[in-house]
Amino acid sequence: MEILWFLLAMGMLAAFLVPYLRRRRGGIRLVSPGSPDAADPADYGFVRQEELDIRVPGPDQDLMDVLDLVQRTQDWRAASQLLAGTPKEGEQRWQRVQAFAGAASLELARQPGTGAAWLRAWKLESPKDAGGAQVHAEFLVQQAWRASGGFGTDDHRIILEEARTACEEAALLAPGDPVPYISQLAIARGLAYPEPEFDALWAKVIDRSPEHMGAHLAALHYWCEKWHGSREKADAFTHAAAARAPRGSLLAALPLFGVFEHLPEVALVQDFYGSAVVSRAVEGALYAVNSARPDDPMLAHVRHLLILFLVRGERWAEAMEQLRHVDGYVGALPWSHSEDPAAEYAVYRALAVAGYEANGGSPATLPR
């Protein structure tokens, strides 16, 4: 398996770097990883591939501590306390609900029938706990997409119907909290809500949190060409959100996520990643990143996606700038689409380092 991943990584390196070599003299040379001339991400203090955390997009030490405690002791109370102290108005509550639900789903997959006992106990022992209800509802949503046999199957629909009921119950326990409605956005996609029904659901979300980046990302899927919309509808959705975003809001980066969702399998336009459409979306995302609060929970999500576009656009120094902020964590797009997110991320990181050094960069020139 290690040989297979090495060959895959080398294939990706060749696919990206050969065109670059054809265009530039004295550019990046492909060498074996053990060569003295090979660029080494470790020289920049980057985390080893096998130590990358695939659970979250960026650091949340309180969440990690509680999650480790819950899974070690199978006692849900620490998770309940953490969510009770997490404001419902911001992005962090949604991310933490997703993380607990995802951990339970993964635990159950590894231990069928016995895994995630703490979540079942939470639901049974404290049925009126708003946090527990939200995690349970999101857990069902994730189970529908991960473990039901796939979109369109009877099991998929049945679990989504159960999740919809769970979301409605969770919403009653926490008036004003957008999280149960955000979870329902994935249900709307899976159950193919008609547009008027989806619009009514979306209105409930933005009434509670009009600038919620996580909610916008969840809604974007519905409007994409591969689901129930089109490229034009997705563009309209992302650009309208970006246009009304106040300074400091990461919604200005939303068009880049729209571009990502509609990437062509084969780029028919020469220098696609340098095209006007992609360049505008990248610049909007960079503007959003540079003007956002440093502690914005969604900032890492935007940085991770920027890495893909900056590397493919051969903007090595800018890619390295994003890497130094998020390295160590890979629980975000685009890496989460891969069967091995850490390996996918490591390939792009290696490309960024190689491109940076080929153009005169070094560990000494990268800001800390």
Side-chain angles (χ1 to χ4, degrees):
M1 182 59 71
E2 292 181 357
I3 293 176
L4 179 60
W5 278 116
F6 174 77
L7 292 175
L8 177 61
M10 289 301 98
M12 292 185 68
L13 282 166
F16 290 131
L17 295 182
V18 167
Y20 178 83
L21 289 170
R22 289 174 178 168
R23 289 195 300 273
R24 302 190 181 189
R25 296 179 57 191
I28 303 169
R29 294 184 298 109
L30 286 177
V31 297
S32 64
S35 167
D37 294 327
D40 187 355
D43 292 341
Y44 296 83
F46 293 148
V47 175
R48 292 169 61 88
Q49 179 180 326
E50 58 269 25
E51 296 174 356
L52 293 168
D53 195 325
I54 66 172
R55 298 172 297 178
V56 289
D60 185 343
Q61 195 57 52
D62 288 341
L63 172 64
M64 293 296 98
D65 290 344
V66 169
L67 187 54
D68 290 342
L69 177 63
V70 167
Q71 293 190 302
R72 186 175 67 254
T73 65
Q74 292 296 297
D75 188 335
W76 53 268
R77 288 173 178 80
S80 175
Q81 292 172 0
L82 181 65
L83 288 180
T86 305
K88 64 185 180 182
E89 296 82 9
E91 306 276 355
Q92 192 173 53
R93 184 177 182 87
W94 168 235
Q95 289 200 21
R96 287 176 169 177
V97 166
Q98 283 188 300
F100 283 125
S105 181
L106 183 59
E107 196 175 313
L108 184 59
R110 290 173 175 170
Q111 306 168 46
T114 60
W118 56 271
L119 181 56
R120 291 193 296 274
W122 193 354
K123 180 66 175 173
L124 289 172
E125 296 170 16
S126 188
K128 300 300 183 183
D129 186 311
Q134 291 174 3
V135 173
H136 175 68
E138 176 62 20
F139 166 78
L140 290 173
V141 172
Q142 294 192 25
Q143 283 295 98
W145 289 100
R146 291 178 177 178
S148 65
F151 174 72
T153 63
D154 289 342
D155 284 349
H156 181 78
R157 175 170 287 275
I158 289 169
I159 299 175
L160 284 180
E161 292 286 4
E162 183 182 356
R164 175 158 58 181
T165 300
C167 285
E168 292 168 353
E169 293 172 352
L172 292 175
L173 294 172
D177 192 329
V179 167
Y181 299 103
I182 300 173
S183 290
Q184 198 172 341
L185 292 171
I187 298 171
R189 175 164 49 101
L191 295 180
Y193 281 21
E195 286 189 16
E197 189 175 351
F198 184 85
D199 287 338
L201 172 61
W202 180 239
K204 294 178 181 179
V205 175
I206 60 174
D207 281 349
R208 289 160 176 80
S209 189
E211 296 172 21
H212 200 292
M213 180 69 171
H216 281 79
L217 292 177
L220 172 60
H221 291 297
Y222 178 90
W223 295 114
C224 286
E225 189 173 60
K226 58 188 173 185
W227 288 106
H228 309 296
S230 64
R231 187 185 302 267
E232 291 72 25
K233 288 182 178 180
D235 284 348
F237 176 75
T238 60
H239 284 88
R244 66 172 181 269
R247 179 175 175 79
S249 168
L250 287 170
L251 287 177
L254 198 61
L256 187 65
F257 287 85
V259 172
F260 173 74
E261 292 296 337
H262 294 90
L263 284 178
E265 292 187 8
V266 178
L268 300 178
V269 179
Q270 188 176 11
D271 193 22
F272 172 79
Y273 289 92
S275 65
V277 170
V278 173
S279 294
R280 282 196 298 269
V282 168
E283 293 305 323
L286 287 170
Y287 167 80
V289 162
N290 292 331
S291 60
R293 299 189 331 268
D295 62 345
D296 191 314
M298 293 301 294
L299 186 55
H301 286 270
V302 181
R303 291 191 188 279
H304 278 292
L305 192 61
L306 271 169
I307 291 167
L308 178 142
F309 281 92
L310 292 171
V311 167
R312 291 190 177 183
E314 301 173 7
R315 297 169 66 167
W316 312 116
E318 291 167 293
M320 292 292 286
E321 172 66 12
Q322 305 310 315
L323 282 165
R324 76 179 184 88
H325 285 286
V326 300
D327 190 70
Y329 305 89
V330 294
L333 289 174
W335 329 119
S336 57
H337 276 188
S338 170
E339 292 185 4
D340 190 338
E344 182 85 356
Y345 169 84
V347 168
Y348 276 84
R349 184 176 64 183
L351 286 166
V353 170
Y356 183 63
E357 293 190 354
N359 287 274
S362 72
T365 60
L366 184 67
R368 297 292 179 183

